[in-house]
Amino acid sequence: MLTQAPKGTHDILADEIDKWLYVENKFAEICRRFGYREIRLPVFEHTELFQRGVGETTDIVQKEMYTFEDKGGRSLTLRPEGTAGVVRSYIENGMSSWPQPTKLFYNITAYRYEKMQKGRYREFHQLGIELFGAKDPSADAEVISLMVLFFDSLGIKNLTLNLNSIGCTQCRGAYNRMLKDFLADKTDQMCENCRERINRNPMRILDCKTEGCRQYLREAPALLDHVCDDCRDHFEKVTQKLQDIGIHYEIDKGIVRGLDYYNGTVFEFVSRNIGTQGTVCGGGRYDGLIELCGGPPTPGIGFALGVERLLLEMESQGIEIPSQPDPEIYLGSIGERAEKLCEKLAWDLRSKGITCIKDIMGRSVKAQMKYADKLGAKHALIIGDNEVESGKAALKDMKTGESRDITLDTLIDRLIKKRETD
RNA sequence: GUGGGUAUAGCUCAGCUGGUUAGAGCGCCUGGUUGUGGCCCUGGAGGCCAUGGGUUCGAAUCCCAUUACUCACCCCA
């Protein structure tokens, strides 16, 4: 226990950090290109924010939240997703008086008490955006196009974009009644889970994957076919805009996002090669959420992307990720006088912005060189008594193996110049 | 919440139907004449064989429980 990370969490070690930084930086870059600005929010919020925002009837709120009481008796919860917190911040900080629309992106960890599986963790990482104030279909299309551009820029191919509209509060009410009527005489034959859903949240039945229920659902009325005129019109405009910019999508009448706040356009990007947890990114519109949480009526739309799943997908597609540059130079030393000189040299190099690794173990030259090699240092330079006295040393190019004598005074300029030409 | 698989060195795994001091490759640390990496070779460190019980003269090996990991169902990012 003492030496084991809690279930569902994982360490991101030095060898993988380049991938994470690469993806995170790329995401930030693309977001800024669309006018989004980053925000950073607390990892925990008042429990009621999620109860209200995500929805009391959802699995997330009912059994997946990490909820605890602090020493002041407040009930707090580690965020199970990002949107609720952003909405809270939007209201609290009066962002409705910022230039509209307000475009925000974030890079967060989220927490859900779930059973572990490939691509599913209890602490996981999400990249996401939220767009407040724009209800036009252009907003939907732009948000989706941002995702597409992001995937493209990473070289990811073959993700399927699934689209659906789950209507507004009005058409949803009518649809729920319709669905109930349709299933009324079939309830006995449906799975236990679905029988509960009929009363709790009929739409969730559409997510069922058990064979028996699926048969009935094939004939069930699809919400998309029964949305009101406004919703239909909105959705058609969204798809038209996607076509205009050449984004391929599939209509999936079965998509019902698992959080209660969604309405209207919902979408997800799905992979086929990373296991059953194939949803790399999911999102949609949430026009009533801000009001529900106590803010002014404000339309909103956003998505969240699972970084672990994204990296799995990139790996499965064999996408290479550029790594951070190797250390410019390794400074080795023999003896105390040399070590002293190295300390000064290393300080000067680092002050000038040059990555410099020096010996701090007093090991043999051979051991030092091996270490320099493992670090991937581009150059190595060993200093002993001779070098201290002459002020000259052999600068070795680790790739070619060639070394040339240089005066130590010129070392910094030489490395700076070399770095520029490389 | 339901089911399946797995658990031996830092990593990937051997260890036959129970039998002495538990193995390999990689990695780590050393050396290969006293100041130069990669290839090759030498030596070394490092395991209460997940944990707790049981069977047995004897358990890494068989049985039970616990825990963890993992995959699928469910749900989702």
Side-chain angles (χ1 to χ4, degrees), chain A residues 207-328:
Chain A
D207 256 356
C208 190
K209 287 182 176 87
T210 55
E211 274 306 314
C213 301
R214 269 198 147 167
Q215 285 187 334
Y216 300 118
L217 292 173
R218 249 169 240 146
E219 294 139 36
L223 180 44
L224 185 57
D225 298 328
H226 297 87
V227 294
C228 62
D229 290 346
D230 285 351
C231 287
R232 161 148 303 285
D233 182 54
H234 182 97
F235 190 64
E236 275 171 6
K237 283 183 173 146
V238 172
T239 54
Q240 184 57 53
K241 283 171 188 299
L242 291 178
Q243 285 173 38
D244 290 346
I245 39 179
I247 292 174
H248 297 286
Y249 60 86
E250 284 173 24
I251 303 289
D252 181 350
K253 295 177 181 174
I255 301 182
V256 182
R257 309 261 77 221
L259 293 79
D260 278 354
Y261 54 64
Y262 284 113
N263 59 23
T265 313
V266 292
F267 60 90
E268 55 188 31
F269 286 83
V270 182
S271 157
R272 287 186 196 81
N273 25 359
I274 58 170
T276 38
Q277 310 302 316
T279 306
V280 174
C281 168
R285 212 163 239 298
Y286 46 87
D287 288 341
L289 182 59
I290 291 103
E291 198 175 0
L292 182 72
C293 293
T298 309
I301 181 169
F303 65 75
L305 171 145
V307 183
E308 284 85 356
R309 290 181 189 177
L310 180 75
L311 290 172
L312 276 176
E313 176 64 19
M314 290 176 72
E315 199 175 327
S316 83
Q317 292 195 21
I319 294 170
E320 288 205 17
I321 293 171
S323 53
Q324 296 290 305
D326 291 322
E328 210 63 43

Side-chain angles (χ1 to χ4, degrees), chain A residues 26 110 116 173 197 200 212 230 241 416:
Chain A
K26 185 68 81 180
M116 285 283 300
R197 284 163 160 165
R200 250 174 50 186
D230 285 351
K241 283 171 188 299
I416 288 176

Side-chain angles (χ1 to χ4, degrees), chain A residues 23-42:
Chain A
V23 165
E24 289 166 356
N25 290 337
K26 185 68 81 180
F27 182 72
E29 182 199 326
I30 300 285
C31 284
R32 290 196 193 97
R33 225 183 274 176
F34 280 74
Y36 288 78
R37 295 192 295 162
E38 181 170 2
I39 54 166
R40 303 198 179 185
L41 300 177

Side-chain angles (χ1 to χ4, degrees), chain A residues 98-121:
Chain A
W98 288 14
Q100 295 298 310
T102 303
K103 295 175 162 186
L104 304 168
F105 77 92
Y106 53 80
N107 174 4
I108 62 170
T109 51
Y111 304 84
R112 291 183 200 170
Y113 189 84
E114 290 199 86
K115 189 130 181 201
M116 285 283 300
Q117 210 177 135
K118 185 175 186 182
R120 191 169 73 186
Y121 306 92

Side-chain angles (χ1 to χ4, degrees), chain A residues 141-189:
Chain A
E142 190 181 275
V143 163
I144 291 170
S145 74
L146 187 156
M147 275 319 304
V148 173
L149 190 61
F150 175 58
F151 291 135
D152 281 354
S153 73
L154 291 175
I156 294 177
K157 298 189 171 100
N158 302 325
L159 284 184
T160 308
L161 166 59
N162 290 325
L163 275 184
N164 193 20
S165 173
I166 56 174
C168 58
T169 42
Q170 283 164 15
C171 25
R172 183 113 41 110
Y175 175 76
N176 276 341
R177 283 193 292 280
M178 188 183 298
L179 195 59
K180 264 189 188 174
D181 290 346
F182 170 78
L183 295 169
D185 56 331
K186 303 176 179 72
T187 2
D188 302 346
Q189 295 141 65

